[in-house]
Amino acid sequence: MILNTIYYNIRSISLSLIGLFIFSSCGEYQAIVKTGNPDYMYKSALKYYENGDFNHAAGLFEMVLSTYNGTSRYDTILVSYAKSLANIGDYYTAASYFQNYVKTFPSSDSCETCQFMTGYCYYMLSPKIELDQSDSETAITELSTFIDMYPNSPKVPLAEKMLRRMQDKMSYKEYKSAKLYFNLGNYLGNNYNSAVITARNCLRKYPDTRHREELSFLILRSLFIQAENSILEKQSERYRETIDEYYSFVNEFPDSQYLKKAQSILKDSERGLTNAETLLPPNKDELEYYKTFGRREKERQREAEQAAKEARDAS
């Protein structure tokens, strides 16, 4: 009972102290703002920033930003304001100010940090895989730009790690889209072709994706099913494309978990190609050739008889 009383008393005192600190801090901040003195607000913002109070620092930096535009202090204010915004989680606004800094002070030593932080902000803004990935795409662009511009920066390993995560996220989203098309099959159209296009686009954009094997096999399966479902006139071409895709697949993934299924697809494709070529009716050129075959033979026979007659007469 005594211990409980002591605990509640300590807790009450702690909460009171926290409340007093917050009230004091807010009161101090409001007093600074009321002065309307840009120099005092600027120096106070720096103190808040150095003490890790990024909310108050951001507020004051924002108030003096336009005042010091074009002055020697603008550099410090702009980068400190952007960092403060990033620290309080306002990543959209922070990213825009980091980008602004890079454009305004392209020769500054802080550009390296600002370019990195731009990519970092969009990385933090990257949403769940089910949502629109515009911010993830921007993160990829900004992080790639940072790595290209500052290849020797100590931040490059972290930037590369974040970049791989974004690329993997994007490739997984496209992989899921390709699988969705595949699972839809022929519902309301040829979704197998859409699966092939989506998967190939993904492999082209993200060649190092960890889903490369699955995407490649999905392409092979889709091509085979397309060939099977094609009209006779298109089967030969599509079975050949499937066979070519098989050899590309096994050359890249000789120990694939899908190897047996791929080999089965090859056998069925070779059988399908043979059947298609056997059953395939002649095309227009071939039909024309067959139609005129008899006439051409008669003409050649007459020419041969004429030549033989001329030879006899000459002798």
Side-chain angles (χ1 to χ4, degrees):
M1 187 68 178
I2 295 174
L3 289 175
N4 286 339
T5 302
I6 294 172
Y7 167 76
Y8 285 118
N9 287 337
I10 292 174
R11 185 170 179 272
S12 298
I13 293 170
S14 298
L15 291 173
S16 298
L17 289 173
I18 292 170
L20 181 62
F21 172 78
I22 292 172
F23 178 78
S24 174
S25 177
C26 289
E28 179 187 73
Y29 176 78
Q30 292 300 329
I32 295 168
V33 172
K34 286 179 179 179
T35 66
N37 186 325
D39 182 66
Y40 183 51
M41 293 167 70
Y42 166 73
K43 291 177 180 178
S44 298
L46 290 178
K47 287 182 181 179
Y48 278 128
Y49 181 83
E50 290 167 2
N51 292 328
D53 188 347
F54 299 111
N55 277 294
H56 286 147
L60 292 175
F61 281 132
E62 183 180 14
M63 291 178 196
V64 299
L65 191 64
S66 59
T67 302
Y68 288 104
N69 191 356
T71 70
S72 59
R73 287 181 171 179
Y74 189 66
D75 180 317
T76 302
I77 294 172
L78 189 58
V79 71
S80 300
Y81 180 42
K83 288 180 179 179
S84 297
L85 291 169
N87 275 288
I88 62 177
D90 188 355
Y91 296 115
Y92 273 122
T93 312
S96 69
Y97 279 103
F98 282 125
Q99 289 172 318
N100 186 17
Y101 184 92
V102 172
K103 292 176 182 177
T104 307
F105 303 102
S107 301
S108 171
D109 292 338
S110 296
C111 277
E112 179 182 325
T113 296
C114 288
Q115 181 59 52
F116 172 81
M117 287 302 297
T118 301
Y120 172 80
C121 286
Y122 281 105
Y123 171 82
M124 294 300 292
L125 287 166
S126 178
K128 292 181 180 179
I129 193 69
E130 297 81 10
L131 303 176
D132 177 73
Q133 296 298 313
S134 298
D135 290 330
S136 301
E137 292 175 350
T138 304
I140 289 172
T141 299
E142 296 296 340
L143 289 168
S144 298
T145 299
F146 169 76
I147 293 168
D148 291 340
M149 290 178 65
Y150 306 100
N152 299 317
S153 171
K155 297 184 179 70
V156 165
L158 178 57
E160 289 177 334
K161 186 176 181 179
M162 290 191 291
L163 180 61
R164 284 193 297 271
R165 286 181 176 175
M166 289 295 94
Q167 290 175 332
D168 187 63
K169 188 175 190 178
M170 296 298 295
S171 67
Y172 181 61
K173 185 176 179 68
E174 295 201 29
Y175 169 55
K176 287 185 69 176
S177 296
K179 282 188 70 175
L180 177 61
Y181 281 125
F182 180 86
N183 292 332
L184 286 172
N186 288 317
Y187 178 71
L188 298 178
N190 181 9
N191 292 295
Y192 294 111
N193 188 50
S194 298
V196 171
I197 292 171
T198 303
R200 282 179 171 165
N201 285 340
C202 182
L203 291 175
R204 187 185 70 255
K205 288 193 290 185
Y206 311 108
D208 298 324
T209 174
R210 63 188 178 93
H211 305 292
R212 187 172 182 84
E213 183 179 345
E214 290 85 351
L215 285 161
S216 299
F217 184 63
L218 184 68
I219 291 171
L220 178 62
R221 291 177 68 195
S222 299
L223 289 174
F224 173 68
I225 295 173
Q226 275 193 101
E228 274 193 320
N229 294 335
S230 296
I231 60 175
L232 188 59
E233 286 77 4
K234 293 185 178 181
Q235 281 188 355
S236 295
E237 176 186 351
R238 289 181 174 175
Y239 276 125
R240 286 193 181 93
E241 186 180 2
T242 304
I243 292 169
D244 289 342
E245 190 66 30
Y246 164 81
Y247 285 110
S248 296
F249 178 79
V250 296
N251 284 336
E252 185 171 359
F253 307 103
D255 301 317
S256 172
Q257 58 180 317
Y258 305 114
L259 188 59
K260 288 185 178 180
K261 292 180 180 179
Q263 289 171 339
S264 177
I265 288 175
L266 174 65
K267 290 180 181 179
D268 290 341
S269 296
E270 290 175 336
R271 189 182 305 113
L273 177 60
T274 301
N275 292 338
E277 291 183 337
T278 300
L279 299 172
L280 188 65
N283 58 36
K284 292 181 179 179
D285 292 338
E286 290 172 333
L287 285 173
E288 185 62 27
Y289 175 84
Y290 294 137
K291 286 179 182 178
T292 60
F293 180 78
R295 186 175 69 248
R296 290 197 307 275
E297 285 299 303
K298 287 180 180 179
E299 288 176 355
R300 278 196 292 270
Q301 186 176 359
R302 283 198 299 270
E303 289 172 357
E305 290 174 353
Q306 182 64 29
K309 182 177 180 301
E310 291 175 355
R312 286 196 303 271
D313 293 343
S315 63

